[in-house]
Amino acid sequence: MKNVVKVRIYPSQAQQVPLSKAFDCARWWWNYALNLNNETYKVTGKGLSRQGYNDRLPQLKKEFPWLAECYSQVLQSVSLNLSQAFINFFEGRAKYPNFKSKHGKQSIQYPQHVKLLDGEIKQPKIGEVKARIHRIFDGKLKTVTVSMSKAGKYYTSLLFDDGLPEPEIGSQAKAVGIDVGLTHFAITSDGSKFDNPKPLKKHQRNLKRKQQKLSRKQKGSKRRAKTRRLVARVHERIANTRKDFQHKLSRKLVNENQVIVVENLAVKNMVKNHNLAKAISDFGWSEFTRQLKYKAEFDGKTYLEINRFFPSSKIYHVCLNQIDSLSLDVRSWTCPSCKTHHDRDVNVAIDIRDEGLRILALGTSATAFRRQCKPASGTQVICGGCCC
């Protein structure tokens, strides 16, 4: 099983120079290879493979001697990543690969010849870089990714493989349904409500002030580059606050439950509402469900997504009575059938949990988040929000 740990590194001024050259070479080779693939496809109707990219590197190093200053396996990793990007595109897992900009996040990969030392990481052509290694997994070190954020901070992601199989899904004991909203970040079926720290709203004034300063700087000047990093640091602080909250909440929910059920919301469609786009983006629902999914799978627990069109807000979980419509301003009501008083958000979370358990009882849990949804012959399957 593979595990990743991301650590902060502190390269010296002398080490930042070869790192910057490696970032530039990797970015240039990605853009060159992507353009070459596009032109080749226009002429022949076929793209290039990973080997097709690598075969052009020796000649390019003669034409551009500065390209040879970069570690050779870094450029070969770019070829691998680009070919995999096209595979993901044709299989429907990702969008078409884009050209990379020097103003965005920079990264390179080392497939081997990286050593972990006491408080340092030794990298080819860079040397021993000071690192804050807070965690190391058992197993073989497979791939090392060095990145530089827009704020100018350096990080290293270490991929370990312990050779053990992935944990099997355990027994289904306690289940929880999770509903996300704008009033509260998350509401669970057991009645718990978690508020959102709203990091963007908290730092909005500071962000606005620095963005105004950036707009006044002349393009291409050193002051503009310096101010751009100040803006990036504010964005990084906002993102870190949001991720810290999401990681703690997702870990708490995964630790306390064996079955986790959520809705597969179409967040990209929801942010098209310009009145709610900023608030929805500040919550980060997609990232939160992603964390729930991988943490549940890592612990051998069940993660399930139900169809977003399931009328969870219109069904009373006690008597299963369903109404035609319910306005958003109604947050609690009394059921006309069973005379039970309901909290709207908690009722939705309970309905989500019950629908997830119903799908699991039918033996269709694989439809929750996997593409392969092939039922046995003669079996009627009710899909729980997958792509099929």
PDB file of all heavy atoms in Angstrom, residues 345-379:
ATOM      1  N   ASP A 345     -32.313  20.038   8.595  1.00  0.00           N
ATOM      2  CA  ASP A 345     -30.972  19.562   8.267  1.00  0.00           C
ATOM      3  C   ASP A 345     -30.711  18.172   8.831  1.00  0.00           C
ATOM      4  O   ASP A 345     -30.124  17.317   8.159  1.00  0.00           O
ATOM      5  CB  ASP A 345     -29.930  20.558   8.793  1.00  0.00           C
ATOM      6  CG  ASP A 345     -30.051  21.918   8.127  1.00  0.00           C
ATOM      7  OD1 ASP A 345     -30.458  21.964   6.956  1.00  0.00           O
ATOM      8  OD2 ASP A 345     -29.747  22.937   8.784  1.00  0.00           O
ATOM      9  N   VAL A 346     -31.118  17.936  10.067  1.00  0.00           N
ATOM     10  CA  VAL A 346     -30.917  16.619  10.667  1.00  0.00           C
ATOM     11  C   VAL A 346     -31.748  15.571   9.943  1.00  0.00           C
ATOM     12  O   VAL A 346     -31.292  14.441   9.712  1.00  0.00           O
ATOM     13  CB  VAL A 346     -31.265  16.657  12.170  1.00  0.00           C
ATOM     14  CG1 VAL A 346     -31.134  15.272  12.784  1.00  0.00           C
ATOM     15  CG2 VAL A 346     -30.364  17.648  12.902  1.00  0.00           C
ATOM     16  N   ASN A 347     -32.960  15.934   9.543  1.00  0.00           N
ATOM     17  CA  ASN A 347     -33.807  15.000   8.800  1.00  0.00           C
ATOM     18  C   ASN A 347     -33.170  14.620   7.469  1.00  0.00           C
ATOM     19  O   ASN A 347     -33.215  13.452   7.052  1.00  0.00           O
ATOM     20  CB  ASN A 347     -35.175  15.621   8.566  1.00  0.00           C
ATOM     21  CG  ASN A 347     -36.103  14.712   7.784  1.00  0.00           C
ATOM     22  OD1 ASN A 347     -36.624  13.733   8.297  1.00  0.00           O
ATOM     23  ND2 ASN A 347     -36.302  15.036   6.503  1.00  0.00           N
ATOM     24  N   VAL A 348     -32.551  15.594   6.783  1.00  0.00           N
ATOM     25  CA  VAL A 348     -31.864  15.299   5.525  1.00  0.00           C
ATOM     26  C   VAL A 348     -30.714  14.334   5.756  1.00  0.00           C
ATOM     27  O   VAL A 348     -30.519  13.378   4.989  1.00  0.00           O
ATOM     28  CB  VAL A 348     -31.368  16.609   4.878  1.00  0.00           C
ATOM     29  CG1 VAL A 348     -30.450  16.307   3.705  1.00  0.00           C
ATOM     30  CG2 VAL A 348     -32.545  17.459   4.423  1.00  0.00           C
ATOM     31  N   ALA A 349     -29.925  14.561   6.800  1.00  0.00           N
ATOM     32  CA  ALA A 349     -28.789  13.685   7.094  1.00  0.00           C
ATOM     33  C   ALA A 349     -29.254  12.265   7.400  1.00  0.00           C
ATOM     34  O   ALA A 349     -28.621  11.287   6.975  1.00  0.00           O
ATOM     35  CB  ALA A 349     -27.983  14.246   8.258  1.00  0.00           C
ATOM     36  N   ILE A 350     -30.370  12.125   8.118  1.00  0.00           N
ATOM     37  CA  ILE A 350     -30.903  10.786   8.427  1.00  0.00           C
ATOM     38  C   ILE A 350     -31.383  10.099   7.158  1.00  0.00           C
ATOM     39  O   ILE A 350     -31.148   8.899   6.950  1.00  0.00           O
ATOM     40  CB  ILE A 350     -32.036  10.897   9.462  1.00  0.00           C
ATOM     41  CG1 ILE A 350     -31.480  11.411  10.792  1.00  0.00           C
ATOM     42  CG2 ILE A 350     -32.720   9.551   9.658  1.00  0.00           C
ATOM     43  CD1 ILE A 350     -32.547  11.648  11.850  1.00  0.00           C
ATOM     44  N   ASP A 351     -32.055  10.849   6.286  1.00  0.00           N
ATOM     45  CA  ASP A 351     -32.515  10.261   5.020  1.00  0.00           C
ATOM     46  C   ASP A 351     -31.343   9.834   4.153  1.00  0.00           C
ATOM     47  O   ASP A 351     -31.401   8.800   3.470  1.00  0.00           O
ATOM     48  CB  ASP A 351     -33.381  11.270   4.262  1.00  0.00           C
ATOM     49  CG  ASP A 351     -34.766  11.422   4.876  1.00  0.00           C
ATOM     50  OD1 ASP A 351     -35.181  10.510   5.612  1.00  0.00           O
ATOM     51  OD2 ASP A 351     -35.416  12.454   4.631  1.00  0.00           O
ATOM     52  N   ILE A 352     -30.267  10.610   4.162  1.00  0.00           N
ATOM     53  CA  ILE A 352     -29.066  10.233   3.401  1.00  0.00           C
ATOM     54  C   ILE A 352     -28.475   8.944   3.957  1.00  0.00           C
ATOM     55  O   ILE A 352     -28.083   8.041   3.201  1.00  0.00           O
ATOM     56  CB  ILE A 352     -28.038  11.380   3.445  1.00  0.00           C
ATOM     57  CG1 ILE A 352     -28.547  12.580   2.641  1.00  0.00           C
ATOM     58  CG2 ILE A 352     -26.690  10.915   2.906  1.00  0.00           C
ATOM     59  CD1 ILE A 352     -27.663  13.806   2.744  1.00  0.00           C
ATOM     60  N   ARG A 353     -28.409   8.832   5.277  1.00  0.00           N
ATOM     61  CA  ARG A 353     -27.884   7.603   5.892  1.00  0.00           C
ATOM     62  C   ARG A 353     -28.754   6.401   5.553  1.00  0.00           C
ATOM     63  O   ARG A 353     -28.247   5.336   5.159  1.00  0.00           O
ATOM     64  CB  ARG A 353     -27.809   7.785   7.408  1.00  0.00           C
ATOM     65  CG  ARG A 353     -27.267   6.569   8.160  1.00  0.00           C
ATOM     66  CD  ARG A 353     -27.683   6.624   9.608  1.00  0.00           C
ATOM     67  NE  ARG A 353     -29.151   6.588   9.761  1.00  0.00           N
ATOM     68  CZ  ARG A 353     -29.792   6.784  10.911  1.00  0.00           C
ATOM     69  NH1 ARG A 353     -29.083   7.053  12.005  1.00  0.00           N
ATOM     70  NH2 ARG A 353     -31.095   6.724  10.962  1.00  0.00           N
ATOM     71  N   ASP A 354     -30.059   6.550   5.671  1.00  0.00           N
ATOM     72  CA  ASP A 354     -30.974   5.428   5.396  1.00  0.00           C
ATOM     73  C   ASP A 354     -30.912   5.004   3.938  1.00  0.00           C
ATOM     74  O   ASP A 354     -30.977   3.800   3.624  1.00  0.00           O
ATOM     75  CB  ASP A 354     -32.397   5.814   5.777  1.00  0.00           C
ATOM     76  CG  ASP A 354     -32.555   6.034   7.275  1.00  0.00           C
ATOM     77  OD1 ASP A 354     -31.663   5.589   8.040  1.00  0.00           O
ATOM     78  OD2 ASP A 354     -33.546   6.666   7.689  1.00  0.00           O
ATOM     79  N   GLU A 355     -30.801   5.975   3.021  1.00  0.00           N
ATOM     80  CA  GLU A 355     -30.697   5.627   1.609  1.00  0.00           C
ATOM     81  C   GLU A 355     -29.390   4.907   1.317  1.00  0.00           C
ATOM     82  O   GLU A 355     -29.351   3.952   0.524  1.00  0.00           O
ATOM     83  CB  GLU A 355     -30.801   6.894   0.755  1.00  0.00           C
ATOM     84  CG  GLU A 355     -30.601   6.692  -0.726  1.00  0.00           C
ATOM     85  CD  GLU A 355     -31.694   5.868  -1.390  1.00  0.00           C
ATOM     86  OE1 GLU A 355     -32.698   5.565  -0.709  1.00  0.00           O
ATOM     87  OE2 GLU A 355     -31.541   5.516  -2.572  1.00  0.00           O
ATOM     88  N   GLY A 356     -28.313   5.325   1.960  1.00  0.00           N
ATOM     89  CA  GLY A 356     -27.044   4.629   1.783  1.00  0.00           C
ATOM     90  C   GLY A 356     -27.082   3.207   2.302  1.00  0.00           C
ATOM     91  O   GLY A 356     -26.567   2.283   1.659  1.00  0.00           O
ATOM     92  N   LEU A 357     -27.694   3.011   3.464  1.00  0.00           N
ATOM     93  CA  LEU A 357     -27.825   1.650   3.997  1.00  0.00           C
ATOM     94  C   LEU A 357     -28.710   0.784   3.116  1.00  0.00           C
ATOM     95  O   LEU A 357     -28.487  -0.427   2.989  1.00  0.00           O
ATOM     96  CB  LEU A 357     -28.393   1.721   5.421  1.00  0.00           C
ATOM     97  CG  LEU A 357     -27.485   2.377   6.470  1.00  0.00           C
ATOM     98  CD1 LEU A 357     -28.184   2.438   7.820  1.00  0.00           C
ATOM     99  CD2 LEU A 357     -26.160   1.632   6.595  1.00  0.00           C
ATOM    100  N   ARG A 358     -29.727   1.393   2.489  1.00  0.00           N
ATOM    101  CA  ARG A 358     -30.582   0.635   1.580  1.00  0.00           C
ATOM    102  C   ARG A 358     -29.797   0.173   0.352  1.00  0.00           C
ATOM    103  O   ARG A 358     -29.930  -0.975  -0.089  1.00  0.00           O
ATOM    104  CB  ARG A 358     -31.769   1.487   1.131  1.00  0.00           C
ATOM    105  CG  ARG A 358     -32.784   0.759   0.259  1.00  0.00           C
ATOM    106  CD  ARG A 358     -33.813   1.712  -0.302  1.00  0.00           C
ATOM    107  NE  ARG A 358     -33.203   2.605  -1.282  1.00  0.00           N
ATOM    108  CZ  ARG A 358     -33.012   2.279  -2.565  1.00  0.00           C
ATOM    109  NH1 ARG A 358     -33.363   1.087  -2.995  1.00  0.00           N
ATOM    110  NH2 ARG A 358     -32.460   3.142  -3.380  1.00  0.00           N
ATOM    111  N   ILE A 359     -28.939   1.046  -0.169  1.00  0.00           N
ATOM    112  CA  ILE A 359     -28.115   0.677  -1.316  1.00  0.00           C
ATOM    113  C   ILE A 359     -27.141  -0.434  -0.948  1.00  0.00           C
ATOM    114  O   ILE A 359     -26.930  -1.389  -1.705  1.00  0.00           O
ATOM    115  CB  ILE A 359     -27.370   1.911  -1.846  1.00  0.00           C
ATOM    116  CG1 ILE A 359     -28.365   2.928  -2.418  1.00  0.00           C
ATOM    117  CG2 ILE A 359     -26.359   1.526  -2.923  1.00  0.00           C
ATOM    118  CD1 ILE A 359     -27.727   4.235  -2.830  1.00  0.00           C
ATOM    119  N   LEU A 360     -26.561  -0.350   0.244  1.00  0.00           N
ATOM    120  CA  LEU A 360     -25.639  -1.400   0.688  1.00  0.00           C
ATOM    121  C   LEU A 360     -26.370  -2.721   0.871  1.00  0.00           C
ATOM    122  O   LEU A 360     -25.818  -3.792   0.585  1.00  0.00           O
ATOM    123  CB  LEU A 360     -24.973  -0.975   2.003  1.00  0.00           C
ATOM    124  CG  LEU A 360     -23.917   0.137   1.912  1.00  0.00           C
ATOM    125  CD1 LEU A 360     -23.419   0.490   3.295  1.00  0.00           C
ATOM    126  CD2 LEU A 360     -22.775  -0.275   1.011  1.00  0.00           C
ATOM    127  N   ALA A 361     -27.604  -2.662   1.349  1.00  0.00           N
ATOM    128  CA  ALA A 361     -28.374  -3.893   1.535  1.00  0.00           C
ATOM    129  C   ALA A 361     -28.683  -4.575   0.211  1.00  0.00           C
ATOM    130  O   ALA A 361     -28.795  -5.800   0.146  1.00  0.00           O
ATOM    131  CB  ALA A 361     -29.678  -3.589   2.278  1.00  0.00           C
ATOM    132  N   LEU A 362     -28.765  -3.777  -0.866  1.00  0.00           N
ATOM    133  CA  LEU A 362     -29.006  -4.349  -2.186  1.00  0.00           C
ATOM    134  C   LEU A 362     -27.734  -4.892  -2.821  1.00  0.00           C
ATOM    135  O   LEU A 362     -27.783  -5.474  -3.901  1.00  0.00           O
ATOM    136  CB  LEU A 362     -29.616  -3.289  -3.114  1.00  0.00           C
ATOM    137  CG  LEU A 362     -31.042  -2.836  -2.764  1.00  0.00           C
ATOM    138  CD1 LEU A 362     -31.478  -1.731  -3.714  1.00  0.00           C
ATOM    139  CD2 LEU A 362     -32.010  -4.004  -2.844  1.00  0.00           C
ATOM    140  N   GLY A 363     -26.591  -4.671  -2.169  1.00  0.00           N
ATOM    141  CA  GLY A 363     -25.337  -5.177  -2.698  1.00  0.00           C
ATOM    142  C   GLY A 363     -24.782  -4.364  -3.830  1.00  0.00           C
ATOM    143  O   GLY A 363     -24.072  -4.893  -4.696  1.00  0.00           O
ATOM    144  N   THR A 364     -25.080  -3.070  -3.861  1.00  0.00           N
ATOM    145  CA  THR A 364     -24.608  -2.211  -4.959  1.00  0.00           C
ATOM    146  C   THR A 364     -23.696  -1.116  -4.435  1.00  0.00           C
ATOM    147  O   THR A 364     -23.670  -0.022  -4.967  1.00  0.00           O
ATOM    148  CB  THR A 364     -25.800  -1.569  -5.692  1.00  0.00           C
ATOM    149  OG1 THR A 364     -26.544  -0.782  -4.739  1.00  0.00           O
ATOM    150  CG2 THR A 364     -26.687  -2.610  -6.299  1.00  0.00           C
ATOM    151  N   SER A 365     -22.947  -1.399  -3.388  1.00  0.00           N
ATOM    152  CA  SER A 365     -22.088  -0.366  -2.818  1.00  0.00           C
ATOM    153  C   SER A 365     -20.995   0.055  -3.777  1.00  0.00           C
ATOM    154  O   SER A 365     -20.448   1.143  -3.664  1.00  0.00           O
ATOM    155  CB  SER A 365     -21.454  -0.870  -1.515  1.00  0.00           C
ATOM    156  OG  SER A 365     -20.664  -2.020  -1.766  1.00  0.00           O
ATOM    157  N   ALA A 366     -20.663  -0.814  -4.760  1.00  0.00           N
ATOM    158  CA  ALA A 366     -19.616  -0.451  -5.709  1.00  0.00           C
ATOM    159  C   ALA A 366     -20.023   0.700  -6.602  1.00  0.00           C
ATOM    160  O   ALA A 366     -19.188   1.341  -7.219  1.00  0.00           O
ATOM    161  CB  ALA A 366     -19.247  -1.654  -6.572  1.00  0.00           C
ATOM    162  N   THR A 367     -21.316   0.990  -6.687  1.00  0.00           N
ATOM    163  CA  THR A 367     -21.766   2.090  -7.531  1.00  0.00           C
ATOM    164  C   THR A 367     -21.569   3.431  -6.862  1.00  0.00           C
ATOM    165  O   THR A 367     -21.858   4.456  -7.454  1.00  0.00           O
ATOM    166  CB  THR A 367     -23.255   1.930  -7.871  1.00  0.00           C
ATOM    167  OG1 THR A 367     -24.018   2.032  -6.657  1.00  0.00           O
ATOM    168  CG2 THR A 367     -23.532   0.603  -8.533  1.00  0.00           C
ATOM    169  N   ALA A 368     -21.070   3.439  -5.646  1.00  0.00           N
ATOM    170  CA  ALA A 368     -20.963   4.699  -4.923  1.00  0.00           C
ATOM    171  C   ALA A 368     -19.940   5.622  -5.543  1.00  0.00           C
ATOM    172  O   ALA A 368     -20.211   6.785  -5.774  1.00  0.00           O
ATOM    173  CB  ALA A 368     -20.600   4.433  -3.460  1.00  0.00           C
ATOM    174  N   PHE A 369     -18.743   5.109  -5.849  1.00  0.00           N
ATOM    175  CA  PHE A 369     -17.720   6.000  -6.362  1.00  0.00           C
ATOM    176  C   PHE A 369     -16.836   5.339  -7.406  1.00  0.00           C
ATOM    177  O   PHE A 369     -15.797   5.842  -7.751  1.00  0.00           O
ATOM    178  CB  PHE A 369     -16.839   6.527  -5.219  1.00  0.00           C
ATOM    179  CG  PHE A 369     -16.303   5.441  -4.332  1.00  0.00           C
ATOM    180  CD1 PHE A 369     -15.144   4.762  -4.642  1.00  0.00           C
ATOM    181  CD2 PHE A 369     -16.980   5.121  -3.171  1.00  0.00           C
ATOM    182  CE1 PHE A 369     -14.666   3.774  -3.808  1.00  0.00           C
ATOM    183  CE2 PHE A 369     -16.497   4.128  -2.340  1.00  0.00           C
ATOM    184  CZ  PHE A 369     -15.353   3.463  -2.654  1.00  0.00           C
ATOM    185  N   ARG A 370     -17.235   4.177  -7.920  1.00  0.00           N
ATOM    186  CA  ARG A 370     -16.437   3.506  -8.935  1.00  0.00           C
ATOM    187  C   ARG A 370     -17.168   3.540 -10.271  1.00  0.00           C
ATOM    188  O   ARG A 370     -18.385   3.570 -10.332  1.00  0.00           O
ATOM    189  CB  ARG A 370     -16.156   2.049  -8.544  1.00  0.00           C
ATOM    190  CG  ARG A 370     -15.285   1.925  -7.293  1.00  0.00           C
ATOM    191  CD  ARG A 370     -14.989   0.470  -7.012  1.00  0.00           C
ATOM    192  NE  ARG A 370     -14.089   0.330  -5.885  1.00  0.00           N
ATOM    193  CZ  ARG A 370     -14.489   0.233  -4.633  1.00  0.00           C
ATOM    194  NH1 ARG A 370     -15.768   0.305  -4.356  1.00  0.00           N
ATOM    195  NH2 ARG A 370     -13.625   0.083  -3.656  1.00  0.00           N
ATOM    196  N   ARG A 371     -16.381   3.507 -11.358  1.00  0.00           N
ATOM    197  CA  ARG A 371     -16.971   3.558 -12.682  1.00  0.00           C
ATOM    198  C   ARG A 371     -17.512   2.195 -13.105  1.00  0.00           C
ATOM    199  O   ARG A 371     -18.466   2.116 -13.863  1.00  0.00           O
ATOM    200  CB  ARG A 371     -15.926   4.042 -13.699  1.00  0.00           C
ATOM    201  CG  ARG A 371     -15.526   5.480 -13.464  1.00  0.00           C
ATOM    202  CD  ARG A 371     -14.583   5.938 -14.558  1.00  0.00           C
ATOM    203  NE  ARG A 371     -14.230   7.333 -14.364  1.00  0.00           N
ATOM    204  CZ  ARG A 371     -14.952   8.345 -14.799  1.00  0.00           C
ATOM    205  NH1 ARG A 371     -16.069   8.113 -15.446  1.00  0.00           N
ATOM    206  NH2 ARG A 371     -14.579   9.592 -14.579  1.00  0.00           N
ATOM    207  N   GLN A 372     -16.866   1.125 -12.682  1.00  0.00           N
ATOM    208  CA  GLN A 372     -17.302  -0.192 -13.119  1.00  0.00           C
ATOM    209  C   GLN A 372     -18.556  -0.597 -12.365  1.00  0.00           C
ATOM    210  O   GLN A 372     -18.502  -1.005 -11.217  1.00  0.00           O
ATOM    211  CB  GLN A 372     -16.204  -1.244 -12.898  1.00  0.00           C
ATOM    212  CG  GLN A 372     -14.973  -1.030 -13.778  1.00  0.00           C
ATOM    213  CD  GLN A 372     -14.093   0.080 -13.311  1.00  0.00           C
ATOM    214  OE1 GLN A 372     -14.287   0.585 -12.216  1.00  0.00           O
ATOM    215  NE2 GLN A 372     -13.132   0.467 -14.132  1.00  0.00           N
ATOM    216  N   CYS A 373     -19.705  -0.435 -12.990  1.00  0.00           N
ATOM    217  CA  CYS A 373     -20.986  -0.734 -12.361  1.00  0.00           C
ATOM    218  C   CYS A 373     -21.683  -1.805 -13.178  1.00  0.00           C
ATOM    219  O   CYS A 373     -22.590  -1.507 -13.944  1.00  0.00           O
ATOM    220  CB  CYS A 373     -21.857   0.518 -12.251  1.00  0.00           C
ATOM    221  SG  CYS A 373     -21.041   1.866 -11.407  1.00  0.00           S
ATOM    222  N   LYS A 374     -21.225  -3.050 -13.103  1.00  0.00           N
ATOM    223  CA  LYS A 374     -21.780  -4.126 -13.902  1.00  0.00           C
ATOM    224  C   LYS A 374     -22.534  -5.085 -12.999  1.00  0.00           C
ATOM    225  O   LYS A 374     -21.941  -5.886 -12.284  1.00  0.00           O
ATOM    226  CB  LYS A 374     -20.663  -4.874 -14.640  1.00  0.00           C
ATOM    227  CG  LYS A 374     -19.901  -3.977 -15.621  1.00  0.00           C
ATOM    228  CD  LYS A 374     -18.832  -4.756 -16.334  1.00  0.00           C
ATOM    229  CE  LYS A 374     -18.078  -3.863 -17.325  1.00  0.00           C
ATOM    230  NZ  LYS A 374     -17.002  -4.600 -18.027  1.00  0.00           N
ATOM    231  N   PRO A 375     -23.874  -5.025 -12.967  1.00  0.00           N
ATOM    232  CA  PRO A 375     -24.636  -5.936 -12.120  1.00  0.00           C
ATOM    233  C   PRO A 375     -24.665  -7.329 -12.700  1.00  0.00           C
ATOM    234  O   PRO A 375     -24.421  -7.540 -13.898  1.00  0.00           O
ATOM    235  CB  PRO A 375     -26.038  -5.298 -12.127  1.00  0.00           C
ATOM    236  CG  PRO A 375     -26.108  -4.597 -13.439  1.00  0.00           C
ATOM    237  CD  PRO A 375     -24.722  -4.099 -13.709  1.00  0.00           C
ATOM    238  N   ALA A 376     -24.950  -8.277 -11.850  1.00  0.00           N
ATOM    239  CA  ALA A 376     -25.091  -9.643 -12.323  1.00  0.00           C
ATOM    240  C   ALA A 376     -26.330  -9.775 -13.186  1.00  0.00           C
ATOM    241  O   ALA A 376     -27.281  -9.011 -13.080  1.00  0.00           O
ATOM    242  CB  ALA A 376     -25.171 -10.608 -11.123  1.00  0.00           C
ATOM    243  N   SER A 377     -26.317 -10.742 -14.078  1.00  0.00           N
ATOM    244  CA  SER A 377     -27.439 -10.916 -15.005  1.00  0.00           C
ATOM    245  C   SER A 377     -28.711 -11.241 -14.244  1.00  0.00           C
ATOM    246  O   SER A 377     -28.728 -12.054 -13.326  1.00  0.00           O
ATOM    247  CB  SER A 377     -27.116 -12.045 -15.985  1.00  0.00           C
ATOM    248  OG  SER A 377     -26.876 -13.252 -15.289  1.00  0.00           O
ATOM    249  N   GLY A 378     -29.786 -10.564 -14.634  1.00  0.00           N
ATOM    250  CA  GLY A 378     -31.067 -10.794 -13.985  1.00  0.00           C
ATOM    251  C   GLY A 378     -31.249 -10.038 -12.695  1.00  0.00           C
ATOM    252  O   GLY A 378     -32.251 -10.197 -12.013  1.00  0.00           O
ATOM    253  N   THR A 379     -30.283  -9.194 -12.326  1.00  0.00           N
ATOM    254  CA  THR A 379     -30.364  -8.447 -11.074  1.00  0.00           C
ATOM    255  C   THR A 379     -30.640  -6.988 -11.377  1.00  0.00           C
ATOM    256  O   THR A 379     -29.960  -6.371 -12.194  1.00  0.00           O
ATOM    257  CB  THR A 379     -29.055  -8.548 -10.274  1.00  0.00           C
ATOM    258  OG1 THR A 379     -28.772  -9.926 -10.040  1.00  0.00           O
ATOM    259  CG2 THR A 379     -29.170  -7.828  -8.949  1.00  0.00           C
TER     260      THR A 379
END
